[in-house]
Amino acid sequence: MSDRKLLVTSALPYANGPIHLGHLVEYIQTDIWTRFQKQQGNECYFVCADDTHGTPIMLKADAEGITPEELIALVQKQHLADFTDFGIIFDNYHSTHSQENKTLSALIYQRLKEAGFIDSAEISQAFDPVKNMFLPDRFIKGQCPKCKAPDQYGDSCEVCGATYSPTELINAVSVISGEKPIEKKSLHYFFKLTDFTDMLKQWTTAGHLQPEVTNKLSEWFEHGLQKWDISRDAPYFGFEIPDTPGKYFYVWLDAPIGYMASFKNLCDKANLDFDEFWGKDSNAELYHFIGKDIIYFHALFWPAMLSGAGFRTPTAIFAHGFLTVNGEKMSKSRGTFIKARTYLEHLNPEYLRYYFAAKLNAGVDDIDLSFDDFTQRVNSDLIGKVVNIASRCSGFIKKRFGGKLSSNCSEPELFKEFINANKKIASLYEQREFGKAMREIMALADRANQYIDEKKPWLIAKDENTGTELHEVCSMGINLFRILITYLKPVLPILSHNSEIFLNINDQAWPTELTMPLLDHTINPFKALMTRVEKEKIDAVIEASKEDLSKEQTEIKNFEPIAETIEFDDFAKIDLRIAKIIKAELVEDADKLLQLTVDIGDETRNIFAGIKSAYAPEDLEGRMTVVVANLRPRKMRFGVSESMVLATGPGGKDLWLLSPDSGAKAGMKVK
């Protein structure tokens, strides 16, 4: 037994909807890593919980005519069922709406307050006069105050990337009631993140984060950290701040504390020492797996809160990228926004576990689920290479040798070659380089199949006088299959378990140099361990995932407010010109933007356009479009944007650049 003690968490899924394939990237990644640690003999605990607080939960419960408590109980049951059926096994799965979390949140807050890290101030907020409640930023929409793009949230613009306060939005309306918000003052409480600037600069550069995450966070330090608003006003579903009636902890304060609360719940059930893992002097390892969209909360707020309250900080935070499907964002209309349960109704969950493993690495790159590649990879690797070994060899063992393996290892060097790969593969698993680990394992599978093809047991079997050779060749194949399955066990627990039943062996630990082949050992009759991916089943998943978006799109159109009336003279000031896109390229670190170089007749302009979701750069070069030629240049984080291209549509993939009729030339004025 190793002396390593590890506590591992995944980000808490929000309790207002079902698990989908995008979520599963993280939970499968974490489950593979924790299964590997346990297979190594390490003391490892994997805990998680539903994230249950906040305005969205309260409003959804109200819309469904149930209490928030009833909603989160129902969703948690669904979440846990989906995770379990995908082979994701937690040592404890809890809820942020728990007594443990309430106690720990109050404790951390009190410690921060006593240490002088909590401040208060009266602020103006958007208030819905119909619903009689303050509005979170995401419940306000309007025109961006910077680029004037419509239908933007109250905190940031998805088109130009600008950040602002909800009060700056143009023609703002409440998403809940459709009414124009009013401003109302309220006393709020703040965590003084600025007091931890030096501590965080050191912590974020001390190897706790991936290099690209550290680089990204350096931008926040350049702009200066700000105080963090940790309170919300009633009505709100969450924990009331101690001794402060009508004020509640913002969901992002108690959500990460949910990691501690879930582990505390496990400690009470399993008689574990909480302080051994969370105390300031803890020698245990603490790891958080998260999506790259919540890095700010986990890599700045969270370690600062823990440090200020006298707890240890994480050993490391591992961020991953987003999931695309067939090269695009998940889409309800295309049937690629796939819920976990929909997938499970048609396809083997271990197909997806293996495919994600084959694509994942230690970085924060997005990964793509290409169904053609998915089918080919699963059928080729798992069926054609791995399971095929057992299938090819077991029949001869059963028919000719009563199901018993040879008492002699005929190829000790080959067996040793497979065993000696254990350290390299283990290192790749440890470093979360799962894709590289899968390639190493499949290279061994190729080697095993090469051995069988060279020996040709199907030809040996035709000669009744070569029984010993046939026995040894097929027994060798079964032993190589056993080692491959052991290496794949963190990724494919069900296949591994069924293989262990076939092999008639106990739960397998990680192979080491002391691992011996199975000799003179009786195996069970072979049963199909995995079937091929069928295109019809993938088609069924996509079809079952399609939704009619006509109602949703109508609601968007009805919601988008008409801008204030302008005079003709105002409109006449806009100089619209035909432009030819002569160059288009991606903008590094920008999720929405493409950089365009356009010819407007007598000069070229540089434009940053939020159209990446709808267009690839190579689709734009040489195309004619329409630009606002006299727009004041605007300095952005990525450079200066000198004009604006015009587009229409609800957004996302459904966005279309305005294009002139044939015969238009660059520089022509649009009348």
Side-chain angles (χ1 to χ4, degrees):
M1 186 74 177
S2 166
D3 59 357
R4 285 183 70 185
K5 295 179 184 288
L6 302 91
L7 175 58
V8 185
T9 77
S10 289
L12 313 184
Y14 202 47
N16 70 336
I19 301 299
H20 56 69
L21 298 196
H23 293 131
L24 286 171
V25 172
E26 178 173 313
Y27 301 100
I28 288 174
Q29 181 187 35
T30 318
D31 185 74
I32 291 171
W33 201 70
T34 54
R35 284 181 181 274
F36 164 73
Q37 298 296 343
K38 292 175 181 180
Q39 196 179 359
Q40 291 283 298
N42 297 326
E43 183 181 348
C44 178
Y45 302 100
F46 179 18
V47 302
C48 196
D50 263 12
D51 182 6
T52 61
H53 290 156
T55 303
I57 300 290
M58 179 180 70
L59 294 175
K60 181 167 185 175
D62 182 61
E64 296 187 6
I66 58 178
T67 66
E69 289 83 359
E70 289 172 326
L71 173 65
I72 64 176
L74 176 65
V75 172
Q76 180 168 348
K77 183 178 179 181
Q78 294 169 346
H79 283 181
L80 199 50
D82 288 344
F83 288 140
T84 301
D85 289 348
F86 266 97
I88 299 161
I89 304 300
F90 304 99
D91 292 284
N92 199 58
Y93 195 84
H94 206 36
S95 168
T96 58
H97 194 63
S98 67
Q99 186 57 51
E100 294 93 345
N101 203 27
K102 185 176 183 179
T103 300
L104 284 165
S105 296
L107 173 65
I108 288 175
Y109 173 77
Q110 289 295 155
R111 287 185 177 180
L112 293 174
K113 185 178 179 181
E114 291 168 2
F117 298 129
I118 301 296
D119 202 356
S120 64
E122 194 173 64
I123 64 170
S124 291
Q125 289 178 273
F127 187 82
D128 188 322
V130 175
K131 287 292 185 178
N132 198 34
M133 62 180 290
F134 287 100
L135 292 169
D137 296 345
R138 290 266 147 174
F139 282 81
I140 308 168
K141 280 193 172 182
Q143 281 184 284
C144 170
K146 310 292 184 183
C147 72
K148 306 301 186 292
D151 201 28
Q152 297 305 308
Y153 288 113
D155 56 354
S156 62
C157 177
E158 294 184 342
V159 176
C160 72
T163 58
Y164 40 76
S165 70
T167 55
E168 295 179 87
L169 270 181
I170 301 169
N171 299 319
V173 296
S174 165
V175 172
I176 305 169
S177 69
E179 284 292 314
K180 181 178 180 179
I182 62 173
E183 281 193 48
K184 191 172 181 179
K185 291 186 176 181
S186 175
L187 183 68
H188 271 233
Y189 294 85
F190 296 83
F191 173 51
K192 296 161 69 174
L193 187 65
T194 48
D195 289 357
F196 294 86
T197 299
D198 291 339
M199 171 261 168
L200 288 170
K201 281 183 177 179
Q202 182 178 0
W203 190 86
T204 57
T205 56
H208 302 293
L209 307 170
Q210 294 134 302
E212 52 266 60
V213 173
T214 297
N215 293 338
K216 185 69 177 176
L217 290 176
S218 67
E219 298 175 13
W220 292 96
F221 291 117
E222 289 174 9
H223 293 94
L225 300 180
Q226 305 295 318
K227 291 193 295 185
W228 179 37
D229 190 343
I230 60 168
S231 67
R232 293 296 185 267
D233 294 278
Y236 192 81
F237 182 60
F239 295 139
E240 202 166 35
I241 299 176
D243 305 318
T244 315
K247 303 292 181 181
Y248 290 79
F249 286 129
Y250 173 43
V251 60
W252 265 110
L253 181 128
D254 66 65
I257 297 173
Y259 301 139
M260 304 173 78
S262 183
F263 186 65
K264 181 66 170 66
N265 182 258
L266 176 64
C267 289
D268 294 342
K269 293 188 291 189
N271 196 29
L272 298 172
D273 185 349
F274 179 84
D275 290 335
E276 187 177 3
F277 289 82
W278 286 102
K280 198 166 186 64
D281 298 323
S282 169
N283 291 318
E285 301 170 48
L286 172 62
Y287 299 101
H288 300 306
F289 284 76
I290 64 167
K292 63 182 180 181
D293 55 326
I294 54 175
I295 285 171
Y296 189 83
F297 293 101
H298 281 80
L300 294 177
F301 293 137
W302 182 228
M305 282 171 53
L306 288 169
S307 177
F311 290 101
R312 58 86 49 83
T313 53
T315 306
I317 296 172
F318 302 136
H320 61 82
F322 300 135
L323 177 70
T324 57
V325 179
N326 292 333
E328 301 176 342
K329 289 184 178 181
M330 293 191 294
S331 163
K332 292 180 180 179
S333 62
R334 294 182 180 86
T336 55
F337 189 93
I338 301 168
K339 298 174 185 176
R341 186 52 50 184
T342 305
Y343 176 101
L344 289 165
E345 289 169 354
H346 300 278
L347 292 167
N348 185 335
E350 297 219 317
Y351 296 160
L352 193 68
R353 288 181 65 100
Y354 177 73
Y355 190 75
F356 281 172
K359 304 280 276 189
L360 281 164
N361 58 36
V364 296
D365 302 324
D366 295 346
I367 68 171
D368 183 56
L369 168 56
S370 161
F371 280 119
D372 288 341
D373 183 45
F374 172 89
T375 302
Q376 190 278 331
R377 196 179 295 247
V378 171
N379 289 345
S380 173
D381 290 0
L382 298 185
I383 312 301
K385 294 181 181 180
V386 178
V387 172
N388 192 43
I389 298 170
S391 176
R392 297 170 85 182
C393 297
S394 61
F396 294 116
I397 297 294
K398 179 179 181 293
K399 293 176 186 176
R400 299 281 291 269
F401 309 105
K404 181 173 282 191
L405 301 179
S406 170
S407 58
N408 177 51
C409 178
S410 60
E411 303 283 348
E413 289 303 313
L414 180 57
F415 184 78
K416 185 179 179 182
E417 178 185 333
F418 273 55
I419 293 297
N420 287 347
N422 80 87
K423 290 182 179 177
K424 183 174 184 179
I425 295 172
S427 176
L428 293 172
Y429 268 121
E430 178 71 38
Q431 296 166 28
R432 307 176 322 287
E433 292 286 358
F434 297 162
K436 292 180 181 178
M438 296 308 102
R439 288 194 287 276
E440 290 291 328
I441 295 168
M442 289 306 141
L444 291 176
D446 287 337
R447 181 73 182 89
N449 281 290
Q450 180 187 8
Y451 165 77
I452 295 169
D453 289 341
E454 289 173 351
K455 294 296 183 180
K456 297 179 173 56
W458 55 91
L459 295 182
I460 299 174
K462 294 180 179 180
D463 187 345
E464 294 292 334
N465 298 317
T466 55
T468 299
E469 184 182 4
L470 178 66
H471 199 189
E472 290 180 347
V473 168
C474 292
S475 297
M476 190 67 203
I478 295 295
N479 271 291
L480 297 181
F481 168 77
R482 172 202 169 196
I483 301 303
L484 291 171
I485 285 295
T486 313
Y487 288 144
L488 286 168
K489 191 169 184 176
V491 178
L492 304 170
I494 298 172
L495 176 63
S496 297
H497 175 70
N498 291 336
S499 297
E500 288 165 353
I501 293 174
F502 157 64
L503 293 168
N504 193 25
I505 58 176
N506 296 325
D507 191 34
Q508 294 194 100
W510 189 258
T512 68
E513 283 71 15
L514 299 177
T515 302
M516 301 299 293
L518 297 173
L519 301 175
D520 200 27
H521 173 83
T522 300
I523 60 175
N524 290 315
F526 179 81
K527 297 180 181 178
L529 295 170
M530 185 175 279
T531 58
R532 297 175 64 83
V533 179
E534 298 174 4
K535 183 179 184 301
E536 294 75 13
K537 292 188 176 181
I538 291 177
D539 291 342
V541 169
I542 294 173
E543 189 61 34
S545 300
K546 287 182 179 177
E547 294 185 14
D548 181 6
L549 298 189
S550 58
K551 180 181 177 183
E552 180 180 327
Q553 289 171 348
T554 299
E555 289 172 351
I556 291 173
K557 290 174 184 175
N558 290 341
F559 163 75
E560 187 174 308
I562 301 296
E564 292 180 10
T565 301
I566 62 173
E567 299 295 334
F568 179 81
D569 289 344
D570 294 322
F571 180 74
K573 294 177 183 177
I574 303 173
D575 187 351
L576 299 178
R577 299 280 176 140
I578 304 298
K580 182 177 182 179
I581 302 173
I582 57 178
K583 186 177 182 182
E585 53 191 333
L586 299 172
V587 180
E588 187 176 356
D589 295 331
D591 295 332
K592 310 286 185 182
L593 299 178
L594 293 180
Q595 184 172 3
L596 309 178
T597 303
V598 302
D599 176 8
I600 61 170
D602 55 353
E603 63 177 293
T604 60
R605 296 278 183 90
N606 180 68
I607 301 176
F608 290 100
I611 57 174
K612 183 179 176 182
S613 61
Y615 293 97
E618 58 270 20
D619 297 333
L620 294 172
E621 293 185 0
R623 179 171 178 161
M624 307 296 280
T625 189
V626 180
V627 303
V628 181
N630 63 334
L631 186 68
R632 188 189 305 276
R634 182 164 57 88
K635 187 175 182 180
M636 301 175 68
R637 179 158 62 93
F638 309 101
V640 177
S641 187
E642 298 172 318
S643 291
M644 176 189 292
V645 294
L646 300 186
T648 185
K653 193 67 179 175
D654 298 324
L655 193 66
W656 299 279
L657 283 179
L658 297 191
S659 298
D661 293 336
S662 59
K665 296 181 180 180
M668 282 184 173
K669 189 164 183 175
V670 179
K671 300 285 187 178

